[in-house]
Amino acid sequence: MTNALSTLLETRDWLMADGATGTNLFNMGLMSGDAPEMWNVDETSKIIALYKGAADAGSDIFLTNSFGANASRLKLHSAEGRVIELNKAAAELGREVADASGRSIVVAGSVGPTGEIMAPMGSLTHEIAVEMFHEQAEGLKAGGADVLWVETISAAEEFAAAAEAFALADMPWCGTMSFDTAGRTMMGLTSADMVKKVSKLAHQPLGFGANCGVGASDLLRTVLGFAAGGPTLPIIAKGNAGIPKYHDGHIHYDGTPALMADYAVLARDCGARIIGGCCGTTPEHLRAMRDALETRPKGAAPTLDTIAAALGGFSSASDGTDGAGPEASPRRGRRRRS
Ligand SMILES: [Zn+2]
């Protein structure tokens, strides 16, 4: 299979992905409760600035502003009839920035969770989920996305539905889950569980991994868990810039560019080949990460103590891969934007 991402993976040891979408758009004036995807048509210069921010900071891959652009989530804004339009626009703007960059940059069509709980725990059927993801995939494909990129997923069923939809759209893809509940996803999956689930998918991704979650330390513990499962596919690490903290009514991430530079090289040492940030990660963080990846040599996989010493402690004693049970039960209805 030939596409921009597999070509880069064949020629490079590591690739740098992008940072946050939500954090950077809030910095440009997006208000909480607004659908950021409307800016793909209403505020195109700001979306171009978002993409350019990542491209100019050295990202080899950036994600489109389409995380919540599925029919279920757009319905909250009475825009469920605009799935194709908003996704196509997100990818077209991305194509424009990538093609003008003068180097090979992958436009990855972001696909977030449906926002509904899937059967058997919830009411969203597999068929409807596949249909929703397929519609979004066709919009991103029409706009010129190189690959699709499902992220912040917590249920194996939803990940599988996305994979099936991307096969229907005949598109290569990557996928990440969010391990935000004591090292597990909200639905209880461990990193080891994900390696097994991914290996069984009929439409294999080009890479898989973790995004968002708690802090950069937890995310690296998850990456070590993936690596221990001996996966054949490249591992993706997109950790938050530190820990979210409420400050003056806003969520602030306490990770500095220097911390994210350390995170990036540690992520590579843990076995990740695609390394980016999630919430709180700005172009300033990305520049520090790129510089560190280019100038510091690859080392051996770090111990948990090394990770904690560099990036801070973990949110839980265990991440479940040692057989410990979930420390918290699955919670419903909480979905964060990346
Ligand atoms: Zn995030």
Side-chain angles (χ1 to χ4, degrees), residues 20 152 211-213 238 240 253 278-280 336-338:
T152 327
N211 77 292
C212 213
K238 285 196 86 192
N240 294 335
Y253 286 81
C278 201
C279 299
R336 274 199 305 262
R337 286 192 170 270
S338 65

Side-chain angles (χ1 to χ4, degrees), residues 83-103:
V83 172
I84 295 284
E85 174 203 359
L86 294 172
N87 282 286
K88 185 166 175 276
E92 280 171 348
L93 295 174
R95 193 74 270 149
E96 206 177 300
V97 171
D99 291 348
S101 70
R103 59 195 180 92

Side-chain angles (χ1 to χ4, degrees), residues 110-125:
S110 169
V111 173
T114 60
E116 296 180 40
I117 307 283
M118 282 188 70
M121 280 188 75
S123 57
L124 179 66
T125 66

